[in-house]
Amino acid sequence: MVNSGGYKFDENTQVVTLETIRVASLEDSIAVSERLTQDPRIPRSAGFLVDLRSMTRLLQFDEIYQIIEWHKVRDFPMKGRIAFLVDRPATVGTANIFCTLLQQYAIEADMFDNDELALSWLSSGPRSSGEFARGVEPDAVTEEFTNRSEE
């Protein structure tokens, strides 16, 4: 795994892990995105692991929208899946905004509370987004979506 200031790239799994920062900012996010697009080792189909769990300041909607627009103007240079690691309502909200906006551009994104599940999802399925699909069987019930109040 090679560390390139702001992210680590694992050539075996083709996954970029964005380094955890405690305070997220639009400027830092754009700077990392610029480095990623200029890194010749990273294919367009690389998966991304974004850990939101230890952040004390999360990006706001307008900042997330500007990040998506930055990528849109550049025709989404990275087309791989994006997995967000979440642990509390605020991180779920932030990841949900990203996932919803990315879905509009056929970039597959989802959120997880477990590192291993996120990495497994990143390495399964298509190496490049094109159709949005969670990969869950239609009749499957997962703990994430089980309504506990019915018990």
Side-chain angles (χ1 to χ4, degrees):
M1 191 172 312
V2 179
N3 185 333
S4 297
Y7 63 92
K8 295 176 184 171
F9 177 58
D10 186 328
E11 293 182 24
N12 294 327
T13 62
Q14 298 288 290
V15 171
V16 175
T17 302
L18 297 181
E19 291 182 351
T20 302
I21 54 173
R22 302 212 31 92
V23 178
S25 75
L26 176 62
E27 295 78 20
D28 290 341
S29 299
I30 296 296
V32 170
S33 294
E34 287 175 346
R35 283 195 295 280
L36 284 165
T37 60
Q38 296 170 0
D39 190 331
R41 300 169 301 130
I42 301 176
R44 288 176 57 99
S45 62
F48 285 83
L49 183 65
V50 182
D51 192 345
L52 302 175
R53 297 174 296 188
S54 65
M55 290 185 165
T56 56
R57 186 217 178 256
L58 296 163
L59 293 166
Q60 301 301 305
F61 177 82
D62 62 322
E63 295 169 311
I64 295 169
Y65 186 82
Q66 289 179 57
I67 292 168
I68 300 297
E69 283 296 306
W70 186 92
H71 286 274
K72 178 183 168 189
V73 167
R74 289 153 183 81
D75 191 31
F76 289 96
M78 304 297 175
K79 302 245 187 223
R81 288 177 160 186
I82 303 171
F84 294 93
L85 292 170
V86 298
D87 65 347
R88 61 191 186 278
T91 58
V92 170
T94 298
N96 192 42
I97 294 168
F98 268 110
C99 292
T100 301
L101 292 173
L102 289 166
Q103 182 180 356
Q104 295 176 25
Y105 301 104
I107 304 294
E108 198 170 358
D110 212 339
M111 61 185 93
F112 302 87
D113 61 1
N114 178 290
D115 296 48
E116 292 80 27
L117 288 175
L119 288 169
S120 174
W121 180 77
L122 286 171
S123 63
S124 67
R127 290 303 309 163
S128 185
S129 294
E131 291 184 31
F132 185 81
R134 294 175 78 88
V136 177
E137 294 297 322
D139 295 330
V141 176
T142 62
E143 185 176 325
E144 176 186 3
F145 299 108
T146 302
N147 186 344
R148 299 270 182 217
S149 65
E150 294 177 1
E151 294 177 358

